[in-house]
Amino acid sequence: MLPQYKTIPTPVGELILVARGTKLAAILWENERLNRVRLGPLELDNDHPTLKETERQLLEYFAGQRRQFELALDFAGTDFQVRVWQALLTIPFGETRSYRDIAVQIGQPTATRAVGAANGRNPISIIAPCHRVIGTSGSLTGFAGGLAAKQFLLSLEGQQSLQLAF
């Protein structure tokens, strides 16, 4: 069976929600970089229960009514990537961590660049909050949805404006 998807409008643009079975497999951006997340062919299903629940929770988040998501997730990646993505889930709403913080958390303190690469391939944006990961200097760094979307999400969570990294 092919993964199922639906597209939803949000304040950060259209998002493509993807489910494998009963689990959320991806949240993709409308201007998604080709092959950032490898899913293969998808099948449209606007009534898929997991996708409808994901949409409901995301809309609550954007309305300021949700701080934590309650969804079963299906991370597909290397063991290292999955460890990084699981670490993202531990970053509390309204807080940020550096790539180095994540590297230390997963027990690989010298793997800062590898953490950055894994963060960039996070398939479940927003819910696995890669937007909460910033540069060690406190600057905003790359984000699949674009730096404006990252700043919007951090502002939504009460973060002060952070400096853009160039």
Side-chain angles (χ1 to χ4, degrees):
M1 174 179 252
L2 296 176
Q4 309 292 301
Y5 82 95
K6 82 178 284 183
T7 303
I8 64 168
T10 74
V12 291
E14 286 198 344
L15 296 176
I16 302 162
L17 313 180
V18 181
R20 263 191 224 99
T22 60
K23 295 182 177 182
L24 183 66
I27 296 179
L28 307 174
W29 301 89
E30 63 184 309
N31 297 316
E32 186 71 33
R33 188 178 84 233
L34 185 64
N35 289 326
R36 184 183 73 82
V37 176
R38 295 187 178 133
L39 294 164
L42 304 174
E43 182 175 71
L44 179 64
D45 185 350
N46 287 316
D47 295 318
H48 190 286
T50 298
L51 300 178
K52 287 172 74 171
E53 179 59 18
T54 301
E55 178 181 20
R56 184 183 73 76
Q57 290 189 32
L58 281 169
L59 293 177
E60 288 175 354
Y61 168 80
F62 285 118
Q65 301 167 343
R66 177 174 288 276
R67 293 175 160 240
Q68 189 169 347
F69 295 94
E70 299 166 0
L71 297 160
L73 306 179
D74 182 11
F75 286 122
T78 67
D79 289 342
F80 180 83
Q81 287 173 327
V82 171
R83 286 182 21 233
V84 169
W85 301 334
Q86 291 290 342
L88 298 176
L89 295 171
T90 69
I91 305 172
F93 180 94
E95 294 184 21
T96 58
R97 299 290 184 270
S98 71
Y99 296 102
R100 185 176 191 297
D101 293 336
I102 300 297
V104 168
Q105 180 179 342
I106 66 168
Q108 294 195 245
T110 61
T112 303
R113 287 182 186 227
V115 166
N119 198 56
R121 290 202 171 268
N122 171 23
I124 308 177
S125 294
I126 303 171
I127 291 172
C130 50
H131 62 278
R132 295 179 189 156
V133 182
I134 60 174
T136 304
S137 66
S139 61
L140 290 185
T141 55
F143 185 60
L147 292 181
K150 185 171 188 166
Q151 181 64 64
F152 177 89
L153 295 170
L154 290 171
S155 295
L156 180 70
E157 295 183 10
Q159 287 291 313
Q160 301 291 14
S161 291
L162 298 168
Q163 180 182 3
L164 297 179
F166 294 102

